[in-house]
Amino acid sequence: MEFTLSCPIPINEYPIITMAHGSGGVLSHNLIGKMFMAAFGNEILAEGHDGAVFGVPEGRLAYTTDSFVVNPVFFPGGNIGDLAVNGTINDLVCCGAKPLYLSAGFILEEGLPMEDLWKIVLSMKDAAERGEVKIVTGDTKVVDRGKGDKIFINTSGVGTIPEGINISPRNSSPGDMIILSGRIGDHGVAIMSARSGLEFETKIISDTVALNGLADKIFHTTLNIHVLRDPTRGGVATTLNELCESAGVGMVIDEEKIPVSGEVRGACEILGLDPLYIANEGKLIVILPEIEADRVLKAMKQHPAGAEASIIGRVTSEHPGIVRMTTSIGSSRIVDMLTGDQLPRIC
Amino acid sequence: MEFTLSCPIPINEYPIITMAHGSGGVLSHNLIGKMFMAAFGNEILAEGHDGAVFGVPEGRLAYTTDSFVVNPVFFPGGNIGDLAVNGTINDLVCCGAKPLYLSAGFILEEGLPMEDLWKIVLSMKDAAERGEVKIVTGDTKVVDRGKGDKIFINTSGVGTIPEGINISPRNSSPGDMIILSGRIGDHGVAIMSARSGLEFETKIISDTVALNGLADKIFHTTLNIHVLRDPTRGGVATTLNELCESAGVGMVIDEEKIPVSGEVRGACEILGLDPLYIANEGKLIVILPEIEADRVLKAMKQHPAGAEASIIGRVTSEHPGIVRMTTSIGSSRIVDMLTGDQLPRIC
């Protein structure tokens, strides 16, 4: 990404964020009016309201929120800014919605370099453009040095759910197939390697990406989809366990069908981690009737975010609440929900 | 407020928040499933989706966000929880909306006492009930000890704007009257006194309250209202300056008409603060055509949140962008926007 826009706040004069940038006074006003408007500027934000105002058609809305506290703030393949935009887009996608509008709430630590903030804001602008959403309302707070960690970002989002789409974690049905959109573990391992200073032979970069394009491919094939879910914190293992619990079903997955890159596998061995529990930020789990599975898989493979999609298992009426995995040596074991805290602050 | 519900997480077993509560694994799952569901439980949240799904009629929506980093977390008259709910309700009110749904995003510092979290969550529940909104979606992150400050809360909100209401900061018109709903400075001074350990003769408590009931009174009188704004960070002075800038108008206010309690005035003298710049969390500025002013003032006075409402000034075509104040000794001075940082982290 090239930073073609230059920072509208003179960095020589204001090299760092100070408490006064969160005061509601002149410096807050300039930060919002100049930096955020320059990056996110749209007619709704420009209204200068306490909130955004826009029209909606009659129908169903999806509405979601996520706070991002990833450490480090800049990591291979992205930063907290595009992660925050993509993450909320993806939560809307997982409700079956077309993402439309996002909010952005910043909690800045006193001393944050102004240049870092500008890079993050530009990444958010780019991610919003790629994800076809508008950032229409926001808020900025500053906390004392040592009372935060550079920058935390909350995004929330709203989107409209088209007629005929009915996605819910309760909808998994015995006999349904489980599709995973691609390789797992890249985001978590990229964060861990950045944090530990580990260098791997091949650079592992975060998979952070907006999934609405991939969801469009799916829904253009069929509306007969039961569940969409992005396996973020806790990884594929925890997500599938939650879905089993929500619908009162069991699942059987096949270890050999779950795509993991050699680099991630190697890094996990070094770090003592299991890829099944590692967060992803650009992957989608699709649960759908068997009759639709092959067509949807084919459609997903036509999209860059789904090129390595694979049918990894199926939903069962047996062992409700439990995910069983057939391993590569032919045995079968229970895949539990994550218990401890394998990877803190990966999003 | 009485805490009649007991904490659904066994406090003996889990006395504090640990990193694992933010992992996405079992402890996160219990925190969300037990504590947040017990407090906020409603049919939309119970769906267990990545986001909330609800129906809306065709029309205009208002959408807003605010992060809360107030220090201390518990203060006279409230805590960060009810402040976060009331604050977002009030931002929706200031768009002319009927607040409907809120999101809640928690950033918890490792070591936060579980009991404190439960108290805060219960205050949010009570504030949401009083403000007639539902908390329908949320998120929880945990940061390492020393990388946060006990708890930060982001709330966002959506509401519907009834037909015929057209509120915008651009709408102030020369000749319009300016109504202030009550005494200023209570919130900021309550925070400062709690922080500094100062004791005043009369306890000053925060004015945090949801303003949708007061707004209903106003709109039942007339829809012919130009601007609503809550004078939070930066106080009445900064808010009026922003409104002058938005609409390209000037304003003249009368110092004697601005209600300030004797306690707040005294505390401000001790602390070297100006009440005009101090944050309020339960006050409303109403700008409206002169012809409506008396009727609306009368209606506002019938509501507890507007009992001390007063017409404090008017909008002018002279000196655009500038707020002038007639002082109690008859002179006139310019009231600037807040420049430094008078009161950090008051919300």
Side-chain angles (χ1 to χ4, degrees):
Chain A
M1 181 172 41
E2 286 183 57
F3 298 119
T4 46
L5 278 175
S6 65
C7 183
I9 306 269
I11 289 177
N12 288 347
E13 205 175 332
Y14 301 101
I16 60 167
I17 291 293
T18 63
M19 292 306 286
H21 284 106
S23 65
V26 172
L27 289 187
S28 299
H29 197 72
N30 283 348
L31 193 64
I32 295 162
K34 293 184 180 164
M35 186 187 282
F36 297 148
M37 275 304 300
F40 307 142
N42 55 64
E43 69 288 359
I44 299 173
L45 193 61
E47 190 66 16
H49 235 311
D50 270 342
V53 175
F54 47 80
V56 288
E58 185 187 350
R60 288 170 303 158
L61 281 191
Y63 175 38
T64 187
T65 189
D66 248 330
S67 295
F68 293 82
V69 299
V70 63
N71 169 32
V73 164
F74 296 95
F75 49 81
N79 66 54
I80 193 170
D82 47 12
L83 191 68
V85 170
N86 291 336
T88 286
I89 289 175
N90 293 348
D91 280 350
L92 292 172
V93 165
C94 290
C95 295
K98 174 176 167 51
L100 293 174
Y101 301 113
L102 261 56
S103 71
F106 297 92
I107 298 176
L108 309 177
E109 185 190 13
E110 182 185 18
L112 176 74
M114 190 66 77
E115 201 162 355
D116 285 357
L117 178 59
W118 179 237
K119 280 184 193 165
I120 290 164
V121 163
L122 278 181
S123 298
M124 293 177 77
K125 166 190 160 66
D126 287 354
E129 284 171 5
R130 279 196 303 268
E132 295 176 13
V133 295
K134 287 180 180 170
I135 296 172
V136 293
T137 189
D139 175 61
T140 308
K141 294 293 187 318
V142 179
V143 294
D144 328 62
R145 211 181 281 262
K147 298 293 184 185
D149 197 6
K150 299 180 190 74
I151 178 170
F152 302 143
I153 302 178
N154 175 282
T155 47
S156 76
V158 295
T160 47
I161 303 178
E163 193 90 34
I165 292 179
N166 282 296
I167 302 295
S168 166
R170 298 179 192 273
N171 286 355
S172 303
S173 231
D176 281 358
M177 305 304 280
I178 306 167
I179 301 178
L180 174 64
S181 68
R183 285 179 294 167
I184 62 171
D186 294 54
H187 177 73
V189 170
I191 298 293
M192 284 305 280
S193 63
R195 207 182 290 169
S196 60
L198 279 179
E199 295 272 337
F200 301 107
E201 271 191 45
T202 314
K203 188 124 173 158
I204 298 167
I205 67 166
S206 168
D207 59 345
T208 179
V209 75
L211 293 166
N212 36 356
L214 182 62
D216 285 347
K217 280 276 181 199
I218 295 170
F219 287 124
H220 280 138
T221 311
T222 176
L223 300 184
N224 191 14
I225 303 293
H226 288 167
V227 181
L228 296 174
R229 185 61 75 100
D230 53 337
T232 56
R233 271 190 298 181
V236 167
T238 304
T239 300
L240 293 181
N241 270 280
E242 286 175 350
L243 292 176
C244 281
E245 196 181 292
S246 291
V249 295
M251 291 182 186
V252 178
I253 57 174
D254 182 346
E255 185 171 27
E256 293 203 317
K257 297 285 169 56
I258 298 170
V260 187
S261 74
E263 290 80 14
V264 165
R265 204 179 291 280
C268 280
E269 276 169 21
I270 294 167
L271 297 164
L273 300 171
D274 182 341
L276 272 178
Y277 291 93
I278 294 181
N280 312 281
E281 294 290 340
K283 295 299 175 295
L284 194 60
I285 288 173
V286 186
I287 298 180
L288 75 179
E290 184 170 8
I291 196 171
E292 308 284 3
D294 287 336
R295 282 198 309 147
V296 167
L297 182 68
K298 196 174 157 199
M300 288 173 72
K301 282 174 173 288
Q302 287 163 9
H303 191 276
E308 296 175 88
S310 166
I311 295 174
I312 63 164
R314 63 163 64 230
V315 178
T316 67
S317 55
E318 292 99 63
H319 50 81
I322 288 171
V323 179
R324 293 200 71 95
M325 183 166 74
T326 311
T327 68
S328 49
I329 54 164
S331 65
S332 167
R333 68 173 176 91
I334 290 175
V335 176
D336 271 333
M337 194 173 277
L338 179 65
T339 43
D341 184 11
Q342 206 185 27
L343 287 168
R345 296 183 59 190
I346 44 72
C347 62
Chain B
M1 181 170 45
E2 286 184 56
F3 297 119
T4 46
L5 277 174
S6 66
C7 183
I9 307 267
I11 289 178
N12 287 347
E13 204 176 334
Y14 301 102
I16 60 167
I17 290 293
T18 63
M19 293 306 286
H21 284 106
S23 65
V26 172
L27 289 187
S28 299
H29 197 73
N30 283 347
L31 194 63
I32 295 163
K34 292 185 182 166
M35 185 187 282
F36 297 149
M37 275 304 300
F40 306 143
N42 56 64
E43 69 289 359
I44 298 173
L45 192 64
E47 191 66 16
H49 235 310
D50 269 343
V53 174
F54 47 81
V56 287
E58 185 186 350
R60 289 170 303 157
L61 280 192
Y63 176 37
T64 187
T65 189
D66 248 330
S67 294
F68 293 82
V69 299
V70 62
N71 170 32
V73 163
F74 296 94
F75 49 81
N79 66 55
I80 192 170
D82 47 12
L83 190 69
V85 169
N86 291 336
T88 285
I89 288 175
N90 293 348
D91 281 350
L92 293 172
V93 165
C94 290
C95 294
K98 175 177 166 49
L100 293 175
Y101 300 113
L102 262 56
S103 72
F106 297 91
I107 299 177
L108 310 177
E109 185 190 13
E110 183 186 17
L112 176 73
M114 190 65 77
E115 202 164 353
D116 285 358
L117 179 59
W118 179 236
K119 280 184 195 166
I120 291 164
V121 163
L122 278 183
S123 298
M124 295 178 76
K125 165 190 161 65
D126 286 354
E129 284 171 4
R130 279 194 303 269
E132 296 177 12
V133 296
K134 287 180 180 170
I135 296 172
V136 293
T137 188
D139 175 60
T140 308
K141 295 292 188 318
V142 180
V143 295
D144 327 62
R145 210 181 282 260
K147 298 295 182 184
D149 197 6
K150 299 180 190 75
I151 178 169
F152 302 144
I153 302 178
N154 176 283
T155 47
S156 76
V158 296
T160 47
I161 303 178
E163 193 91 33
I165 293 179
N166 282 296
I167 302 294
S168 165
R170 298 179 192 274
N171 286 355
S172 303
S173 233
D176 281 358
M177 305 305 278
I178 306 168
I179 301 178
L180 175 63
S181 67
R183 286 178 294 167
I184 62 170
D186 295 54
H187 177 74
V189 171
I191 299 293
M192 284 305 278
S193 64
R195 208 182 290 169
S196 59
L198 279 180
E199 296 272 337
F200 301 107
E201 271 189 45
T202 314
K203 186 124 174 159
I204 298 167
I205 68 167
S206 168
D207 60 345
T208 179
V209 76
L211 293 166
N212 36 358
L214 181 62
D216 284 347
K217 280 274 180 203
I218 295 170
F219 288 124
H220 280 137
T221 310
T222 176
L223 300 184
N224 191 15
I225 303 292
H226 288 166
V227 181
L228 296 176
R229 187 61 76 100
D230 54 336
T232 56
R233 271 191 297 182
V236 167
T238 304
T239 299
L240 293 181
N241 271 280
E242 285 175 351
L243 293 176
C244 281
E245 196 181 292
S246 290
V249 295
M251 291 183 188
V252 178
I253 57 174
D254 182 346
E255 186 172 27
E256 293 203 317
K257 297 286 170 57
I258 298 170
V260 187
S261 73
E263 290 81 14
V264 165
R265 203 179 292 280
C268 280
E269 276 168 20
I270 294 168
L271 296 163
L273 301 171
D274 182 341
L276 271 178
Y277 291 94
I278 295 182
N280 312 281
E281 295 290 340
K283 294 300 173 296
L284 193 61
I285 288 173
V286 185
I287 298 181
L288 75 178
E290 185 171 8
I291 195 171
E292 309 284 5
D294 287 335
R295 281 199 310 148
V296 167
L297 182 68
K298 195 174 156 198
M300 288 174 72
K301 282 175 172 289
Q302 287 163 8
H303 190 276
E308 296 173 87
S310 165
I311 295 174
I312 64 164
R314 62 166 63 231
V315 178
T316 69
S317 54
E318 293 99 62
H319 51 81
I322 289 172
V323 179
R324 293 200 72 93
M325 183 166 74
T326 311
T327 68
S328 49
I329 56 167
S331 67
S332 167
R333 68 172 175 91
I334 291 176
V335 176
D336 271 334
M337 193 174 277
L338 179 67
T339 44
D341 183 12
Q342 205 185 26
L343 286 169
R345 296 182 59 190
I346 44 71
C347 63

